[in-house]
Amino acid sequence: MAFNLLKGKKGIIFGALDSNSIAWKVAERAFEEGAKFTLTNAPVAMRMGEIQKLAEKTGSEIIPADATSVEDLENLFAKSVEILGGPVDFVLHSVGMSVNVRKGRPYTDLNYDWLAKGWDVSAVSFHKVLQTAWKLDAIAEWGSVVALTYIAAQRTFPDYSDMAENKAYLESIARSFGYHYGIRKKVRINTISQSPTRTTAGSGVKGFDAFIDYAEKMSPLGNATADDCANYCVALFSDLMRRVTMQNLYNDGGFSSMGVSELVMKHFGTD
């Protein structure tokens, strides 16, 4: 069901790879709610994905951009403003990667070159996106920026490895830049801490399927799906949440507030 929450709004969506990705679901929902937007991803990721199908479905143009390249981001924002007919009202940052996790390197023996690459892609890219938009004045007054994160920024999940630090840094950027952009243009910046979700990227984490099952048993409402996250993003992009900024917002079925659940206790055979 659509409510025209984003009627007349313009945006940029980073990270739609295939129909399993959260960014893909956000694009579909934003389109249903009346938004117009450009789609972007790194050139290498675009060759792996099916983003052209999403562009056709939503009537969007694709602008390839490496989120770690300021030059690419300048081109992305400039072209988006031109295509959409003015500054954007919302941006979704759905970008993350750990080479150490992909290559199975243990946290106690990290490759620091790989760590730096993952940190740049997953966290510093968010600052680059915001700083580029700031300098080009590419986000409209009362705009909304959302980045996707995970509770490993606050709690230890051993197999999440150095991505935990990346997400903690990402959340800090949202708070710090949220202050400056709020003062300047009333732009709000938030992160959504999502349940573990079956995406192409998420499936690369060791033991991911088992952890999804654990989180499901721990969460009173069950795990939040990619569609749930898309709805949350749309709400944050809309004018309904104009005073929400600099927040890390949990979309996890209650997992973040739990100590233990009856289902988990039963699983381990506790009477």
Side-chain angles (χ1 to χ4, degrees), residues 85-165:
V88 300
D89 301 291
F90 65 87
V91 177
L92 175 71
H93 180 280
S94 181
V95 181
M97 181 273 293
S98 167
V99 183
N100 282 295
V101 170
R102 284 185 179 179
K103 294 184 178 291
R105 195 73 176 251
Y107 185 77
T108 52
D109 185 32
L110 293 179
N111 178 305
Y112 291 119
D113 289 334
W114 295 349
L115 180 146
K117 177 63 175 176
W119 179 66
D120 194 21
V121 171
S122 306
V124 181
S125 67
F126 191 40
H127 194 283
K128 291 177 180 178
V129 166
L130 292 167
Q131 182 168 289
T132 301
W134 173 280
K135 290 184 176 181
L136 295 178
D137 198 18
I139 300 179
E141 190 173 30
W142 292 106
S144 176
V145 181
V146 174
L148 301 184
T149 186
Y150 184 55
I151 195 175
Q154 286 80 35
R155 301 184 187 179
T156 301
F157 297 87
D159 292 328
Y160 205 63
S161 192
D162 57 335
M163 274 300 294
E165 282 82 3

Side-chain angles (χ1 to χ4, degrees), residues 168-198:
Y169 194 81
L170 178 86
E171 292 173 17
S172 180
I173 290 169
R175 289 187 293 271
S176 297
F177 228 121
Y179 167 78
H180 295 286
Y181 237 140
I183 292 293
R184 183 186 190 186
K185 297 267 306 199
K186 304 299 181 186
V187 170
R188 53 209 195 270
I189 303 174
N190 297 287
T191 55
I192 293 177
S193 189
Q194 170 71 4
S195 293
T197 309
R198 295 186 191 278

Side-chain angles (χ1 to χ4, degrees), residues 4-270:
N4 282 325
L5 290 176
L6 303 182
K7 185 177 181 180
K9 291 193 180 294
K10 307 177 286 288
I12 299 174
I13 295 177
F14 285 78
L17 182 65
D18 56 36
S19 58
N20 292 319
S21 64
I22 292 174
W24 188 290
K25 302 294 187 183
V26 173
E28 289 179 329
R29 283 294 292 120
F31 177 69
E32 289 172 3
E33 292 296 338
K36 296 181 179 180
F37 46 83
T38 56
L39 299 167
T40 187
N41 212 327
V44 64
M46 293 177 66
R47 289 196 295 271
M48 296 163 51
E50 304 173 348
I51 195 171
Q52 187 61 48
K53 294 179 182 178
L54 181 63
E56 292 171 2
K57 181 177 182 179
T58 61
S60 305
E61 291 199 33
I62 302 169
I63 306 173
D66 178 348
T68 67
S69 166
V70 172
E71 182 179 358
D72 280 10
L73 292 173
E74 288 173 343
N75 178 66
L76 169 65
F77 275 102
K79 282 191 174 180
S80 294
V81 168
E82 179 183 349
I83 291 167
L84 298 171
V88 300
D89 301 291
F90 65 87
V91 177
L92 175 71
H93 180 280
S94 181
V95 181
M97 181 273 293
S98 167
V99 183
N100 282 295
V101 170
R102 284 185 179 179
K103 294 184 178 291
R105 195 73 176 251
Y107 185 77
T108 52
D109 185 32
L110 293 179
N111 178 305
Y112 291 119
D113 289 334
W114 295 349
L115 180 146
K117 177 63 175 176
W119 179 66
D120 194 21
V121 171
S122 306
V124 181
S125 67
F126 191 40
H127 194 283
K128 291 177 180 178
V129 166
L130 292 167
Q131 182 168 289
T132 301
W134 173 280
K135 290 184 176 181
L136 295 178
D137 198 18
I139 300 179
E141 190 173 30
W142 292 106
S144 176
V145 181
V146 174
L148 301 184
T149 186
Y150 184 55
I151 195 175
Q154 286 80 35
R155 301 184 187 179
T156 301
F157 297 87
D159 292 328
Y160 205 63
S161 192
D162 57 335
M163 274 300 294
E165 282 82 3
N166 295 340
K167 292 301 188 184
Y169 194 81
L170 178 86
E171 292 173 17
S172 180
I173 290 169
R175 289 187 293 271
S176 297
F177 228 121
Y179 167 78
H180 295 286
Y181 237 140
I183 292 293
R184 183 186 190 186
K185 297 267 306 199
K186 304 299 181 186
V187 170
R188 53 209 195 270
I189 303 174
N190 297 287
T191 55
I192 293 177
S193 189
Q194 170 71 4
S195 293
T197 309
R198 295 186 191 278
T199 64
T200 302
S203 60
V205 178
K206 180 182 175 184
F208 191 68
D209 288 343
F211 184 65
I212 285 183
D213 185 49
Y214 168 75
E216 180 76 19
K217 287 180 169 63
M218 278 288 290
S219 307
L221 300 182
N223 288 331
T225 66
D227 288 317
D228 292 328
C229 191
N231 287 330
Y232 206 168
C233 288
V234 165
L236 284 167
F237 294 156
S238 78
D239 292 334
L240 296 177
M241 296 195 179
R242 273 197 162 193
R243 303 290 178 182
V244 180
T245 193
M246 301 163 64
Q247 302 299 307
N248 180 48
L249 303 164
Y250 291 97
N251 187 47
D252 62 3
F255 180 90
S256 52
S257 292
M258 291 296 296
V260 72
S261 71
E262 290 182 0
L263 283 175
V264 168
M265 298 284 279
K266 289 178 182 178
H267 178 79
F268 286 100
T270 303

